[in-house]
Amino acid sequence: MIKAIQKIRRRNNMSSLRKYFISGLLIWLPIWITILAIKFLVDMLDSIITFLPTRFQPDVLLKFHIPGIGVLITVVVILLTGILVTNFVGKYLVAIGDAIIARIPIVRSIYRGVQQILETLLKPGGQSFRKVLLVEYPRQGSWTLAFQTGDGTNEITNVLNGDEMVSIYVPTTPNPTSGFLLMVPRKDVIELSMSVESALKFIISLGVIQPVTLVENKK
């Protein structure tokens, strides 16, 4: 009898220790991952100054190292570039640069592809990855979340007897950076009021974190 009680106590103690460990892990793990992600971004931006000639690098000019100086320089350069390319002279220079790159066989394909993707994703007012959709996939009666990436092309619309199509991206879980591009009739998708951020959390967490709608966010 005594041995049974001791066994139960040991089991309860192990259960408590496991609960405490998981509780602590849930506090420290997100903090640690966030710190690592920020450190990675800072180190990546900070290393950009290594492309400068040695005599022009801040450490050489100032005779001492300032942590994060590369990040500051990168942000300033990006802002100045943005100011430059939004005026007439800047647009003219960009056009010349694009014309030169367009003459380089392999480089032009990579450059154009990256440029178009970034313009589509970052352009103000764009519709790519702005809408969360509910679609039947991979079979009828089975539903999944998807993101609208654009409208169907005229050629595809004509081939499919005039049905209005939309391009959607169906992400995989728990890694949403891989997935499938599908073109489906607009009438077969359901647009949700869910935010893109909430949809991504739902996908990454394997459905554990319940999504929040845009209406609930406003409240």
Side-chain angles (χ1 to χ4, degrees):
M1 184 66 178
I2 295 176
K3 290 183 178 180
I5 295 175
Q6 290 175 343
K7 187 176 181 180
I8 293 173
R9 286 179 177 176
R10 283 196 299 269
R11 187 181 304 166
N12 290 337
N13 289 336
M14 290 299 297
S15 178
S16 298
L17 287 173
R18 184 165 57 251
K19 182 180 68 174
Y20 296 149
F21 180 80
I22 293 175
S23 298
L25 193 63
L26 290 175
I27 295 296
W28 283 108
L29 195 56
I31 295 175
W32 180 245
I33 293 175
T34 303
I35 292 174
L36 289 178
I38 294 174
K39 185 178 183 301
F40 171 77
L41 291 174
V42 171
D43 290 344
M44 182 179 65
L45 293 176
D46 213 18
S47 65
I48 291 178
I49 60 176
T50 58
F51 291 97
L52 294 173
T54 303
R55 64 178 181 274
F56 294 126
Q57 291 183 13
D59 290 358
V60 176
L61 294 174
L62 300 175
K63 306 300 182 183
F64 60 90
H65 177 68
I66 301 177
I69 188 66
V71 177
L72 180 61
I73 293 176
T74 302
V75 172
V76 171
V77 170
I78 292 174
L79 288 175
L80 292 177
T81 304
I83 295 172
L84 175 64
V85 299
T86 51
N87 59 45
F88 177 77
V89 177
K91 290 180 180 179
Y92 178 72
L93 294 175
V94 171
I96 294 175
D98 286 344
I100 294 173
I101 293 176
R103 296 177 181 274
I104 306 175
I106 298 177
V107 175
R108 67 186 177 193
S109 300
I110 300 173
Y111 177 78
R112 289 292 187 188
V114 174
Q115 186 182 48
Q116 290 175 357
I117 291 173
L118 291 177
E119 286 180 350
T120 302
L121 294 177
L122 301 179
K123 185 178 179 180
Q127 295 302 313
S128 297
F129 289 90
R130 300 293 193 274
K131 294 181 181 179
V132 181
L133 308 175
L134 189 65
V135 296
E136 282 189 297
Y137 181 84
R139 62 177 178 80
Q140 187 175 5
S142 178
W143 296 83
T144 189
L145 295 180
F147 302 100
Q148 182 173 336
T149 58
D151 298 321
T153 64
N154 292 331
E155 181 181 0
I156 294 174
T157 300
N158 294 333
V159 169
L160 297 176
N161 300 322
D163 284 344
E164 186 179 4
M165 307 293 289
V166 291
S167 301
I168 65 172
Y169 175 71
V170 180
T172 56
T173 183
N175 177 20
T177 59
S178 64
F180 306 93
L181 172 64
L182 304 176
M183 285 166 284
V184 298
R186 186 179 295 274
K187 60 183 176 62
D188 291 341
V189 303
I190 301 174
E191 185 175 338
L192 303 176
S193 60
M194 185 188 308
S195 67
V196 173
E197 181 183 1
S198 295
L200 287 173
K201 289 180 180 178
F202 182 73
I203 293 167
I204 294 172
S205 68
L206 306 178
V208 174
I209 299 178
Q210 293 300 309
V212 179
T213 64
L214 295 177
V215 176
E216 290 174 335
N217 279 332
K218 291 179 181 179
K219 292 181 181 179

